[in-house]
């Protein structure tokens, strides 16, 4: 008789955003007239930039012609895309990253979820708290944690690094020694950035204790502070201890197009000398079959002069939203964080409401969807996330509604 | 200090097709003038059908317009695609399958590799021998097998079901009781089909012993025998014991477009009553983020009247290739199998050559790439796979070259 992977039974409820979607759908059904504004899930609203649309059409035409048709993609992604990535995301910032260290994929969520597979089950995982749920959930599903403890709202065996207003939402080095450290900056959900000095502190620590940092840089395009690192490879020694995960979802609006990549430097080796690059290549080759050709061409267009200019306008648009939310909430007396180097605003819930109470309050009173901070971890309780990814009109309207609430 | 997943170290060499690609590249470099014909990897060569190109262009235009832009897709895939799948692939064949049992993905290879995750590590896996390497390798990587045994070329702990000319390449029920049974019909690599009676025998057996069948039906579009089942759900009781994996790669030429789906019936439950549909939904929601909107629209076009007619022509084209290979090799004195309900031809290597010897011989003598049968398992030794996915011109040329060899 077959058995299931009972680690799945340790998981609490369903995936956070599926949960919210269900709650919102139920509310809409009860209130068909309500004009709901969604500032919850980090999904973009601006259409794809013209340079990307043009690249997609061109690639589609190639697929309709036998002479230019493309079947299975190369395991790590097309060279044209990996080349553009290395030149623009790394060389241009003085980082040493090579084309055969880039693994193109269908998005950072998949990579974030799958990357843990190449590590042993005995590795101790450290995460920020609050945190993007995929890091924790994927490790729970693999069996790298104990049971959920309802008292402290933690999974046994996971090291939680509190991110609080007191530490500007940048964690201290953990007291207990981890083997895998998940970091995401600019941060989802708090919107906090990290200084190069603070990131270097983590790199030095990881090298000292022999840990690997899994660095999620999905929001780097939103950095406005010129001194803030866009890549962990701006830090000395990171090639020996860090994997970087990148997304096209937020810098180019690819949430529905699906493209991302992971950097696994060849200098990153286990104590036995096994290269993590080889392991990830094996996983990629065996359990994945490449991002669509047309999507990889769209990715290439992100780095064209036209693409860059158009996407800068798009980022500016969202960051104008962020400023609008930040200022509007401040004026209305809220305590707010983030929103300066990230498309997320992290606010303290008012009147001692907990996060889900504020979610329900906001949805029922002014028909606005946000994300309860507690959905991201115990230290997210009493906080709430709003995103800058709505339209400007809706963002303005949302802030007006909240202000009058 | 972090540790790696050392199950990866049990794997033999690199992924079969990466291996072949490297060998061919090295040969081409040494022989820049050689005009190589590739009948190795199962990659298609015909361009996408006009109905699909049209759907792609239309969807691209939608993505360039704020009013019709699509961000994150629904977890299981868009309703329009799941509806078309249920109507055409199941209802039309009298199978009971519901829309919420369909999980749209970026391809069957990913699903084949990932599906084992929802099962416990103690499950005993049975595979055909020879077999598509992903089934075995993904279980090795998860730790569901022992070490590789070079004597019998098997992984310890895996149940191999020999597929030989004596049993028409349809395995007997295994002597040792498995928990998970991988079946693929029409078969890759042997090209064999399975009768409904034989498939029902496996369904009955799985229900009796409480096993799950993972049924890979990626090649169902190539079935010409009207009595052959296209889906395992044509068998009675399959909803209680079988997961079906489907691909758009071979029926619609989507190898470079990436689309597939998995059916997990709600009647399929563990002994504790846990629905596998819920587990796969959780995996899908947590570690995957949907197939691109434009690709799902392309998938929908596969089921339009124009799409169906155009794709029938495409399948006929490839099956004409299959006939050409089959007849040509027969005439040249080879012993050949498959090619009637599948795009693969499985031939006995001549002159007591082993599979890799014949690979080298064919590549160096007539510059043709095929796939060594032994790459699919110990019982593939002495066999060789050719695919019908080339162009008709190349297929003709290849057979001429082999005939004169």
């Amino acid at each position: 008789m077959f058995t299931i992977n009972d680690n799945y039974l340790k998981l609490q409820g369903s995936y956070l955003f599926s949960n919210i979607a269900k709650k919102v759908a139920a509310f809409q059904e009860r209130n068909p007239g309500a004009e709901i504004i969604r500032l919850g899930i980090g999904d973009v609203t601006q259409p794809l930039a013209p340079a990307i649309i043009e690249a997609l059409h061109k690639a589609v035409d190639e697929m309709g012609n036998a002479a230019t048709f493309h079947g299975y993609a190369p395991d790590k992604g097309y060279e044209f895309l990996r080349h553009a990535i290395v030149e623009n995301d790394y060389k241009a910032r003085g980082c040493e990253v090579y084309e055969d260290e880039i693994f193109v994929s269908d998005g950072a969520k998949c990579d974030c979820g799958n990357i843990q597979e190449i590590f042993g089950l005995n590795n101790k995982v450290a995460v920020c708290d609050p945190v993007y749920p995929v890091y924790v959930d994927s490790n729970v599903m693999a069996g790298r944690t104990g049971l959920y403890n309802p008292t402290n709202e933690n999974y046994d065996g996971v090291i939680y690094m509190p991110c609080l207003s007191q530490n500007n939402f940048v964690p201290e080095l953990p007291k207990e020694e981890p083997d895998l450290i998940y970091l995401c900056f600019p941060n989802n959900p708090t919107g906090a950035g990290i200084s190069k000095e603070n990131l270097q502190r983590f790199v030095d620590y990881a090298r000292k204790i022999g840990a690997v940092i899994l660095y999620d840089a999905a929001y780097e395009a939103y950095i406005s502070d010129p001194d803030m690192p866009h890549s962990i490879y701006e830090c000395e020694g990171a090639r020996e201890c860090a994997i970087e995960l990148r997304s096209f979802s937020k810098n180019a609006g690819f949430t529905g197009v699906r493209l991302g990549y992971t950097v696994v430097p060849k200098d990153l080796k286990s104590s036995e000398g096994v290269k993590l690059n080889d392991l990830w290549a094996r996983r990629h080759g065996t359990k994945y079959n490449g991002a669509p050709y047309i999507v990889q061409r769209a990715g290439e267009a992100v780095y064209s002069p036209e693409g860059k200019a158009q996407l800068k306008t798009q980022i500016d648009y969202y960051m104008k939203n962020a400023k609008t939310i930040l200022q509007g909430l401040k004026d209305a007396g809220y305590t707010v964080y983030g929103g300066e180097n990230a498309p997320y605003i992290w606010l303290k819930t008012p009147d001692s409401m907990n996060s889900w109470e504020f979610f329900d309050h906001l949805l029922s009173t002014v028909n606005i969807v946000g994300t309860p901070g507690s959905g991201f971890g115990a230290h997210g309780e009493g906080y709430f996330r709003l995103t800058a990814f709505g339209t400007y009109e809706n963002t303005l309207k949302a802030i007006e509604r909240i202000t009058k609430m």
Side-chain angles (χ1 to χ4, degrees), chain A:
Chain A
M1 177 78 200
F2 79 91
T3 62
I4 59 162
N5 174 356
D6 49 19
N7 292 307
Y8 275 56
L9 307 181
K10 298 175 189 168
L11 291 166
Q12 293 308 296
S14 63
Y15 181 61
L16 173 63
F17 295 106
S18 315
N19 238 353
I20 291 172
K22 277 177 209 153
K23 272 200 166 229
V24 175
F27 177 83
Q28 184 79 81
E29 207 178 306
R30 286 194 310 274
N31 304 275
E35 185 216 350
I36 296 174
I37 299 179
R38 287 154 211 269
L39 302 178
I41 194 164
D43 200 358
V44 297
T45 50
Q46 290 295 292
L48 295 181
I52 292 162
I53 292 292
E54 195 188 322
L56 282 166
H57 277 307
K58 193 167 160 247
V60 168
D61 282 333
E62 287 183 68
M63 295 295 283
N65 185 322
T68 50
F69 174 78
H70 284 76
Y72 289 124
D75 272 5
K76 291 183 174 179
Y78 283 100
E79 200 271 342
F80 63 75
L81 179 56
R82 288 184 291 122
H83 180 73
I85 288 168
V86 166
E87 292 298 315
N88 291 278
D89 289 342
Y90 296 105
K91 272 199 189 162
R93 297 198 66 82
C95 300
E96 187 190 346
V97 166
Y98 302 99
E99 285 175 25
D100 59 358
E101 298 175 334
I102 307 285
F103 295 80
V104 174
S105 78
D106 64 326
K109 184 179 172 190
C110 304
D111 287 347
C112 283
N114 293 328
I115 192 72
Q116 45 78 28
E117 273 187 41
I118 62 170
F119 298 98
L121 291 181
N122 57 344
N123 287 284
K124 199 114 192 172
V125 169
V127 294
C128 291
D129 178 10
V131 69
Y132 178 50
V134 171
Y135 312 146
V136 178
D137 287 1
S138 59
N139 278 291
V140 172
M141 288 150 85
R144 216 169 270 107
T145 74
L147 292 174
Y148 182 76
N149 182 338
T151 313
N152 60 11
E153 294 175 34
N154 286 348
Y155 285 96
D156 289 339
V158 174
I159 301 168
Y160 291 85
M161 304 182 289
C163 294
L164 309 161
S165 57
Q166 295 92 302
N167 57 21
N168 291 314
F169 303 99
V170 174
E172 314 296 327
L173 296 176
K175 288 188 192 81
E176 193 187 343
E177 237 174 58
D179 303 302
L180 305 176
I181 305 168
Y182 286 86
L183 291 178
C184 170
F185 286 102
N187 188 257
N188 173 16
T190 68
I194 193 168
S195 68
K196 192 166 166 188
E197 189 190 346
N198 269 331
L199 189 55
Q200 185 68 54
R201 196 165 47 96
F202 266 97
V203 169
D204 294 342
Y205 173 70
R207 289 177 73 192
K208 198 181 104 195
I209 64 168
V212 172
I213 298 173
L214 302 162
Y215 194 69
D216 182 347
Y219 300 97
E220 61 79 32
Y222 294 87
I223 293 174
S224 61
D225 180 341
D227 294 329
M228 209 167 257
H230 287 240
S231 163
I232 196 165
Y233 303 115
E234 294 181 41
C235 294
E236 214 186 304
R239 283 182 58 81
E240 289 163 34
C241 69
I243 289 173
E244 183 161 286
L245 305 137
R246 289 279 194 117
S247 167
F248 288 79
S249 287
K250 311 301 162 99
N251 64 335
F254 275 29
T255 53
V257 178
R258 310 308 313 143
L259 193 67
Y261 68 86
T262 291
V263 183
V264 189
K266 294 200 164 178
D267 299 350
L268 185 42
K269 293 172 197 164
S270 75
S271 58
E272 310 92 330
V274 177
K275 282 184 190 156
L276 296 193
N277 185 288
D278 289 340
L279 296 184
W280 190 240
R282 185 64 204 231
R283 201 238 167 241
H284 227 62
T286 304
K287 297 170 80 173
Y288 183 60
N289 227 341
Y293 172 72
I294 51 179
V295 170
Q296 294 198 45
R297 282 290 181 200
E300 184 188 35
V302 168
Y303 298 104
S304 70
E306 303 74 29
K308 279 180 190 173
Q310 291 161 7
L311 293 173
K312 191 184 171 306
T313 309
Q314 216 168 73
I315 303 274
D316 290 347
Y317 177 95
Y318 290 131
M319 287 313 278
K320 187 174 152 197
N321 288 347
K323 275 207 183 74
T324 304
I325 299 173
L326 211 54
Q327 198 55 50
L329 291 179
K330 264 185 201 164
D331 292 349
Y334 285 84
T335 307
V336 285
Y337 305 96
E340 282 170 3
N341 294 292
Y344 294 123
I345 287 85
W346 190 240
L347 61 104
K348 272 208 79 61
T349 54
D351 307 327
S352 317
M353 272 187 261
N354 73 30
S355 299
W356 277 108
E357 282 167 357
F358 189 66
F359 173 91
D360 290 331
H361 180 64
L362 214 59
L363 180 58
S364 62
T365 317
V366 290
N367 307 149
I368 291 170
V369 182
T371 311
S374 58
F376 298 101
H379 284 92
E381 182 57 275
Y383 287 93
F384 200 77
R385 191 189 79 173
L386 291 175
T387 92
F389 288 127
T391 61
Y392 182 61
E393 295 69 30
N394 275 343
T395 304
L396 266 186
K397 210 184 283 182
I399 291 307
E400 273 169 33
R401 289 191 199 168
I402 294 177
T403 307
K404 287 182 191 151
M405 194 164 68

